[in-house]
Amino acid sequence: PQQRTGNSARHGTVITRHWCKGRRFGFSMECHVTPGSNAVHAPPGHLCSVRRPHSSGHHQRSITQLEELWVANRRRWFSQASAGSDKGRSKSKLLIHIQGEKYGSREYMLLPSTIPVDDLDANDPEVSALIRKYRIASLRANRNILFGAECFASIGGGDDGGGGSSRSERLIKACTPLVKAALNDASSNGEQPQALASLDGLCAWVVSCLEDEGKGSKELESIVNQTDGGIEDAKLLYEAVTAIATSQPRPGHRVLGAGTYRDGQPLWEKLAREYAEGGGGPDMVASEVELYRTNGMEIVAVEHLADTSEKYLKSAG
């Protein structure tokens, strides 16, 4: 296959892409993903419709009226969305509102279809902020790269984020229509769609394995055995990944610095891959990775330190 390179819209890193059948995604740490087919289907009509914002328009409903409408109906909207369309109706329960350019920087937002998006000027900052406040789920994209999938409310489970299902299940249920719509746009110029997926929870999984002498991870168990056998290189890796996972300095060090991340990188990347591929079992899942895999994509690469924010480092290293 031909190779092409391009800049990551999210992190400014250069990614090498194989121009072949399918799509790619990446996880942050990060990982890059491919589907088995180029065919992209629009979101099912009975689940949601897709609407782009008008460039102009009149406010047929005031902001206050929209606020009141939301408060009065949000639980019913979520409940109806979970059940799909009523047998006697063809009206969608949810809609996808797209803010931004079709092939530029954009955000796909899942909203209750009862919100009168067509009656509002989405370019008005106040209206835009209000629409974002009511999002059930969101997905960002830039050109052919998808990233930043988030679920703000559990479909069918009220608006408390619970709903009796796991975070991964809620994210997949709410964001799958957004992924399908985004993939359609991402491939519109003939480029291969890609995605970047976060690895939140990686540190917690590594800590749980370390507490059980590496059990639960083939990579960690091997390093623990080598460390016990007196292999110095293994000890260096073990101490580095322990420091990264726990956000605590290594023995003999005052801070958790760049040297620790550098020394732990070879093993941390293997652990990231293992976690992304389901190493944590059903209770510890890389939710955004599962979202893209559920939509026919494959893990192709890990990017070390793709997101260096303090919050993310504590969650994914």
Side-chain angles (χ1 to χ4, degrees):
Q2 297 175 327
Q3 283 191 338
R4 301 191 182 188
T5 60
N7 291 325
S8 163
R10 185 181 182 193
H11 300 290
T13 56
V14 176
I15 302 168
T16 300
R17 307 168 191 148
H18 294 279
W19 200 256
C20 56
K21 232 182 175 183
R23 316 175 193 96
R24 297 182 171 258
F25 87 84
F27 47 83
S28 282
M29 249 261 301
E30 295 254 320
C31 86
H32 299 277
V33 179
T34 3
S37 163
N38 281 322
V40 179
H41 301 286
H46 292 299
L47 175 61
C48 58
S49 58
V50 180
R51 299 181 190 173
R52 295 183 180 275
H54 295 299
S55 58
S56 62
H58 298 289
H59 293 239
Q60 297 181 17
R61 301 195 194 204
S62 69
I63 298 298
T64 302
Q65 287 175 321
L66 188 53
E67 288 273 16
E68 292 173 349
L69 188 67
W70 171 257
V71 171
N73 294 284
R74 58 187 176 182
R75 288 188 179 276
R76 178 172 57 83
W77 284 337
F78 291 142
S79 179
Q80 289 175 339
S82 174
S85 62
D86 294 336
K87 291 183 178 180
R89 301 181 184 179
S90 60
K91 184 178 180 180
S92 301
K93 296 302 179 186
L94 302 174
L95 66 87
I96 296 174
H97 175 69
I98 305 171
Q99 195 163 300
E101 303 173 13
K102 181 177 180 180
Y103 196 66
S105 179
R106 57 199 185 275
E107 181 179 7
Y108 299 81
M109 291 175 275
L110 191 66
L111 301 172
S113 62
T114 327
I115 290 182
V117 175
D118 291 338
D119 295 348
L120 302 171
D121 179 5
N123 292 320
D124 183 303
E126 190 176 5
V127 174
S128 177
L130 197 63
I131 290 173
R132 289 176 60 80
K133 178 181 177 180
Y134 295 161
R135 295 172 298 174
I136 296 170
S138 170
L139 175 71
R140 294 183 177 275
N142 196 331
R143 295 178 64 84
N144 63 321
I145 300 173
L146 283 58
F147 59 91
E150 294 182 88
C151 179
F152 305 101
S154 177
I155 297 178
D159 60 339
D160 59 357
S165 58
S166 69
R167 178 180 181 274
S168 179
E169 290 170 338
R170 295 195 300 271
L171 188 73
I172 291 171
K173 189 171 186 177
C175 288
T176 286
L178 305 182
V179 171
K180 291 181 181 297
L183 286 174
N184 196 42
D185 289 342
S187 60
S188 62
N189 282 13
E191 289 196 83
Q192 185 180 36
Q194 302 187 30
L196 302 175
S198 66
L199 284 180
D200 288 304
L202 172 58
C203 287
W205 173 66
V206 172
V207 168
S208 70
C209 294
L210 288 170
E211 290 174 346
D212 196 17
E213 299 182 342
K215 293 178 181 177
S217 164
K218 292 181 180 178
E219 297 292 343
L220 263 184
E221 196 166 4
S222 174
I223 289 295
V224 168
N225 291 335
Q226 292 176 48
T227 301
D228 291 343
I231 301 176
E232 286 300 316
D233 288 346
K235 182 181 178 181
L236 178 68
L237 285 170
Y238 178 83
E239 290 181 349
V241 298
T242 299
I244 294 168
T246 59
S247 299
Q248 299 295 323
R250 287 183 285 181
H253 293 251
R254 292 185 177 181
V255 297
L256 176 61
T260 300
Y261 287 99
R262 181 188 62 243
D263 291 343
Q265 180 177 350
L267 178 56
W268 196 257
E269 288 184 352
K270 291 178 181 179
L271 292 171
R273 184 93 186 202
E274 190 175 359
Y275 176 66
E277 292 177 345
D283 297 327
M284 303 189 80
V285 178
S287 300
E288 195 174 2
V289 176
E290 285 305 304
L291 168 66
Y292 297 128
R293 292 179 74 181
T294 298
N295 283 279
M297 307 178 93
E298 298 173 0
I299 300 168
V300 297
V302 174
E303 298 212 8
H304 189 241
L305 295 179
D307 185 341
T308 55
S309 64
E310 182 178 357
K311 180 180 179 181
Y312 189 73
L313 287 176
K314 287 183 177 181
S315 178

